[in-house]
Amino acid sequence: MNTPNRRQALGAGLSISAIAGLSACGGGAVTAIDAGDPVKGGSLRVGITGGNAADTVDAHIPVNNGDVCRSVNLYNALYGWDDDSKVVPLLAESFESNADATVWTCTLKEGVKFSDGRDITPEDVKFSFERITDPDDPKTAAANFTMLDKVVPTGKRSMEFRLSEPNGLFNDAVAEYTAGIVPADYDPENPVCSGPFKLKSFTPAQSTVLEPNEYYFDKSYLDEVQLLNFNDSDALINALLSTQVDAIAGIPLALVEVIAADERMAILNSETGMWLPFTMRVDKKPFDDVKVRQAFRLVVDREQMIEQVLSGFGTVGNDMFGPLSENYPDFPQRKQDIDKAKKLLAEAGYPDGIDVELVTAPIQSGAVESAQVFAQQAAEAGIRVKIRRVDSTTFFGDEYLKWDFAQDFWYTRDFMPQVISSCISESPFNETHWDDPAFNKVFDKARAIPSPAKRRDLEHELQKMLYDEGGYIVWGFANQVDAFQKYVGGLVKNSTGRPLSGWRFDRVWIGKV
């Protein structure tokens, strides 16, 4: 199976003095106006960074921030994730497994339609998953469905997902935004949509205009959504303060208080399970020695990372992902221990310290800064870090998943779905090259059990293996912090890690200004 690329370019931040000047120039003569109660009509202008010539409206290959935003608004999956990162129905009325989780039966909601007025049928669902799992052209979500044998329509609104092996996590897999439902005659160049909006216009790297899907099963308030691309955070924040846009996705965390001081602005600060790990390839020296990996974890001052990298907008990590998972473990909190790190390095054959190259890029807010702080902290243990900074396109290019020591970012996911994405041999993003037979055996047992409570012990066994020997350094979980004009309503805290309430613009309105 081919591995899909994954990249995201984000701009650099403004200085505090620069933004203070912009705020003073833009805000003095304008009084803040609250959104009030929901009203119908209006256009929402959203500023984002990271667009490029490869931008897409294809339902199944979103890459950067803008792609994900378009995907969430143009297409619905059978299930989705709510603001608390819980799986909830979207196009499906129900989705249930048989006793051994080898057959999942789905029933569509009554009357769901595409944006051209046609009914969404089981045949469309069948086509959508065949497109995602096409062995000659696998899409982003393909790794979630390696056990999917076939989708068999069984009625006007019903179908069976027949699996080659048990999978108790299948309802989580179909909830990913990368598993949107499209019609059987789908043309990504002229898309017919299943989400709350349809496409009005699209110019890669510049702008996208969405308009309501009048056949969507739920209400929306806006007449239009404009997604406007900006080259960097400097231009993005300038556009917000000068009222060229109504909301922006992601702000430099060091500038939150300064932006909030403008009476016209509101800050949306959401705690999430989003993480910015350091990735050590367990199959390459020096990280093929577990003692080296353990030493690198012990040099990190996690509280200092949260303060210096995230300006306090985050929570401390413990080398384990999925903090919102029902079965998140209560392992002893790993703390900085320079003496023990030195001892482990000496036992691994590095009594005089070690030289490593850390590849970083502005792939997410805080990534480059965390690399710099890590290098300073690691030096105390004799770990001499040479930082190699590349641009985001290079980072997520041909060498992505091949770096010996690098970084990445992940939005909120439960533990088991995250393992599927990054910690087993067929994972599309196995950046640490973790492939342990004992781990895989336990994981196969756990994946077959639908109930989180019943698989708790197995999950803890898997988590303990990764906590003790894995290739991730998970130092913290970053808040998602966005900014918007106070006349924008409907934006709420959202734990998915996706900006602006998870990109759910169907519930946003513009107050009467």
Side-chain angles (χ1 to χ4, degrees):
M1 178 179 291
N2 296 325
T3 300
N5 285 330
R6 178 176 177 268
R7 64 192 185 277
Q8 180 178 21
L10 295 175
L14 279 167
S15 68
I16 291 179
S17 59
I19 194 170
L22 286 171
S23 182
C25 293
V30 181
T31 302
I33 300 175
D34 290 332
D37 294 330
V39 293
K40 181 74 175 172
S43 177
L44 176 71
R45 301 162 300 167
V46 179
I48 55 178
T49 59
N52 56 54
D55 285 356
T56 183
V57 293
D58 192 311
H60 300 140
I61 53 171
V63 175
N64 60 38
N65 238 343
D67 293 343
V68 175
C69 179
R70 285 182 284 270
S71 182
V72 169
N73 285 284
L74 293 174
Y75 308 100
N76 269 180
L78 296 172
Y79 269 43
W81 301 91
D82 67 9
D83 293 321
D84 296 318
S85 290
K86 304 299 182 186
V87 175
V88 294
L90 285 179
L91 294 179
E93 178 180 277
S94 63
F95 199 77
E96 300 175 347
S97 74
N98 63 353
D100 65 358
T102 57
V103 178
W104 287 76
T105 300
C106 176
T107 302
L108 293 170
K109 287 180 178 177
E110 182 96 41
V112 288
K113 296 179 181 293
F114 288 114
S115 58
D116 63 357
R118 286 182 291 168
D119 289 339
I120 299 175
T121 70
E123 290 293 341
D124 297 311
V125 176
K126 178 177 184 289
F127 169 82
S128 298
F129 282 90
E130 288 176 346
R131 186 173 190 265
I132 291 168
T133 59
D134 181 354
D136 296 324
D137 184 20
K139 304 304 188 292
T140 303
N144 290 331
F145 304 111
T146 55
M147 77 299 299
L148 178 58
D149 188 14
K150 54 185 165 181
V151 180
V152 180
T154 57
K156 185 177 179 181
R157 293 192 292 129
S158 62
M159 69 226 74
E160 291 181 349
F161 288 76
R162 299 178 184 174
L163 313 184
S164 59
E165 59 186 77
N167 187 345
L169 306 172
F170 204 71
N171 56 332
D172 285 6
V174 301
E176 294 291 344
Y177 61 82
T178 49
I181 302 304
V182 298
D185 58 355
Y186 180 62
D187 176 8
E189 299 298 321
N190 186 28
V192 172
C193 304
S194 55
F197 293 91
K198 60 185 179 180
L199 189 66
K200 184 176 181 179
S201 66
F202 172 56
T203 304
Q206 295 184 31
S207 66
T208 308
V209 180
L210 310 177
E211 57 186 0
N213 172 6
E214 61 267 40
Y215 297 103
Y216 192 60
F217 61 84
D218 206 353
K219 67 176 184 293
S220 60
Y221 303 108
L222 298 167
D223 289 335
E224 185 178 81
V225 175
Q226 300 178 40
L227 307 178
L228 305 174
N229 290 86
F230 293 87
N231 291 331
D232 52 42
S233 293
D234 188 322
L236 187 69
I237 295 173
N238 193 5
L240 179 72
L241 296 175
S242 60
T243 326
Q244 296 175 47
V245 297
D246 308 304
I248 60 175
I251 58 178
L253 298 175
L255 304 179
V256 172
E257 291 185 6
V258 179
I259 297 174
D262 187 321
E263 65 173 8
R264 303 168 301 155
M265 302 300 158
I267 300 295
L268 185 60
N269 176 22
S270 300
E271 291 189 6
T272 77
M274 180 168 59
W275 48 302
L276 292 163
F278 294 100
T279 60
M280 302 176 285
R281 274 191 63 168
V282 302
D283 62 335
K284 291 282 190 178
K285 287 186 177 300
F287 302 110
D288 58 346
D289 190 321
V290 67
K291 291 182 178 180
V292 173
R293 303 197 295 273
Q294 291 170 344
F296 273 55
R297 286 170 157 179
L298 289 172
V299 303
V300 183
D301 183 333
R302 294 152 199 267
E303 289 81 4
Q304 186 183 59
M305 278 281 198
I306 297 296
E307 290 304 317
Q308 292 194 5
V309 176
L310 302 179
S311 298
F313 290 94
T315 55
V316 169
N318 197 26
D319 297 327
M320 182 51 52
F321 43 75
L324 304 185
S325 300
E326 182 175 329
N327 294 331
Y328 193 68
D330 185 23
F331 294 151
Q333 177 60 54
R334 191 163 277 146
K335 295 181 179 294
Q336 187 182 58
D337 190 333
I338 298 299
D339 290 339
K340 188 173 181 180
K342 288 180 177 179
K343 182 174 181 294
L344 286 167
L345 288 174
E347 292 174 357
Y350 302 98
D352 300 321
I354 189 171
D355 295 280
V356 293
E357 179 182 78
L358 172 58
V359 181
T360 187
I363 54 175
Q364 180 68 298
S365 179
V368 174
E369 293 83 355
S370 63
Q372 295 166 340
V373 174
F374 177 85
Q376 294 168 0
Q377 294 176 349
E380 295 183 52
I383 299 173
R384 297 172 290 274
V385 179
K386 178 183 178 182
I387 294 178
R388 177 185 172 193
R389 177 170 176 170
V390 299
D391 59 53
S392 297
T393 301
T394 300
F395 186 89
F396 286 124
D398 293 340
E399 294 301 308
Y400 179 52
L401 305 178
K402 298 178 183 178
W403 309 115
D404 291 352
F405 187 38
Q407 296 171 278
D408 212 334
F409 75 94
W410 291 93
Y411 292 134
T412 304
R413 291 182 183 221
D414 278 353
F415 173 75
M416 293 291 284
Q418 182 64 62
V419 169
I420 293 172
S421 290
S422 62
C423 295
I424 53 179
S425 58
E426 63 263 35
S427 295
F429 307 114
N430 190 344
E431 50 215 340
T432 68
H433 291 243
W434 175 263
D435 186 14
D436 182 277
F439 182 92
N440 295 340
K441 186 176 181 180
V442 176
F443 178 77
D444 287 341
K445 289 181 182 178
R447 180 160 56 176
I449 302 172
S451 167
K454 292 181 178 178
R455 64 172 183 261
R456 179 175 291 113
D457 290 346
L458 292 173
E459 284 195 39
H460 286 175
E461 189 176 346
L462 293 168
Q463 290 160 338
K464 190 65 164 61
M465 293 183 200
L466 292 173
Y467 178 79
D468 288 341
E469 300 184 3
Y472 280 124
I473 302 173
V474 186
W475 54 267
F477 302 98
N479 292 9
Q480 176 62 43
V481 185
D482 309 305
F484 58 95
Q485 310 281 351
K486 286 183 177 177
Y487 55 73
V488 177
L491 294 173
V492 297
K493 291 184 178 181
N494 176 280
S495 65
T496 64
R498 299 198 299 266
L500 294 168
S501 295
W503 294 131
R504 286 284 310 280
F505 296 143
D506 54 310
R507 53 188 180 174
V508 173
W509 69 89
I510 300 291
K512 294 182 179 180
V513 181

